[in-house]
C-alpha cells in the first residue's frame, strides 16, 4: 500500500484526473502538480470553465452532438447541406470530421456501436431517431462514418438494413491506403480493402 503524500483534496484531484482518457496515475499526478503550481493562471480558470460546462452543456436532441444549445449549432446552421447526413459512432468522431472540413453536412451521433456481448443492442443506440430523420424525406444521402472494426461494420450493416425501405443513398467512408502511407508498412486487411475499393485514375 502506497503512502499518502498529500491531503485528501489533492488526492481526490489526482484520482479524478486519472479517470480522464489518456491519463494514468503517474500522468494524473504530474497534471495535478502542474495545475496546483499554476493556481491563478490555470487551476482557477479551469475550475470555473468546468463549472460552467456542467451548467450549460447539453446533448442535442436532433443529432446527439454536445453543445451549449439544443438543437446544436451544426443542426441550426442554414449553410449546412440538410440532404447529407454523416452517421458517426461518437461525438469525438464528429469533431474529427469537422476538423478535416471536407464536407458541410449534418451529423447523427449513434452513441456507440452494436455489441451484443457488451449488452449494447439497437435500443441502446440512437438508431430509432436516425430512422425517423431519414423518414422525414429531407435526407438524400446517409454516409456511414463508423470505425472499421467488427462492431463498426456490424452496425453499418444493421443501419443499411434499417434504411433500405427509404429513398436514400447509403454510402460509407473509403477504406484503404492513407494519404502519405507506404504499402510496405500497411497490414494485410488494409491492403485488401484498398484493392477492393480501387478507383479509376
Amino acid at each position: 500500500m502506497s503512502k499518502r503524500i498529500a491531503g485528501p483534496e489533492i488526492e481526490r484531484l489526482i484520482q479524478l484526473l486519472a479517470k480522464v482518457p489518456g491519463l494514468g496515475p503517474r500522468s494524473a499526478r504530474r497534471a495535478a502538480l502542474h495545475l496546483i503550481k499554476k493556481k491563478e493562471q490555470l487551476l482557477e480558470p479551469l475550475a470555473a470553465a468546468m463549472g460552467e460546462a456542467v451548467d450549460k452543456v447539453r446533448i442535442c436532441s436532433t443529432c446527439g452532438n454536445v453543445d451549449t444549445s439544443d438543437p446544436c449549432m451544426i443542426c441550426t446552421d442554414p449553410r449546412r447541406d440538410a440532404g447529407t447526413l454523416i452517421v458517426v459512432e461518437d461525438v469525438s468522431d464528429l469533431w474529427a470530421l469537422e476538423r478535416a472540413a471536407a464536407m458541410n453536412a449534418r451529423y447523427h451521433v449513434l452513441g456507440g456501436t452494436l455489441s451484443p456481448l457488451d449488452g449494447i443492442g439497437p435500443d441502446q443506440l440512437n438508431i430509432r431517431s436516425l430512422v425517423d430523420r431519414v423518414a422525414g424525406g429531407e435526407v438524400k444521402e446517409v454516409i456511414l462514418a463508423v470505425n472499421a472494426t467488427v462492431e463498426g461494420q456490424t452496425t453499418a450493416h444493421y443501419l443499411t438494413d434499417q434504411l433500405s425501405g427509404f429513398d436514400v443513398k447509403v454510402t460509407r467512408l473509403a477504406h484503404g491506403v492513407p494519404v502519405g502511407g507506404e504499402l510496405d508498412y500497411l497490414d494485410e486487411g488494409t491492403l485488401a480493402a484498398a484493392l477492393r475499393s480501387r478507383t479509376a485514375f
Side-chain angles (χ1 to χ4, degrees), residues 49-70:
M50 291 178 89
E52 197 172 350
V54 167
D55 292 335
K56 295 188 177 177
V57 170
R58 304 279 177 267
I59 303 295
C60 177
S61 58
T62 303
C63 73
N65 187 22
V66 293
D67 203 341
T68 53
S69 60
D70 180 18

Side-chain angles (χ1 to χ4, degrees), residues 5 14 17-18 36 40 49 53 58 65 69 73 78 111 119 129-130 143 150 161 164 190 195 197-198:
I5 55 172
I14 293 168
L17 285 171
I36 291 164
E40 285 81 25
R58 304 279 177 267
N65 187 22
S69 60
M73 289 173 60
S129 56
L130 170 64
I143 302 170
V150 172
D161 289 343
S164 62
T190 300
L195 285 170
S197 302
R198 64 191 182 276

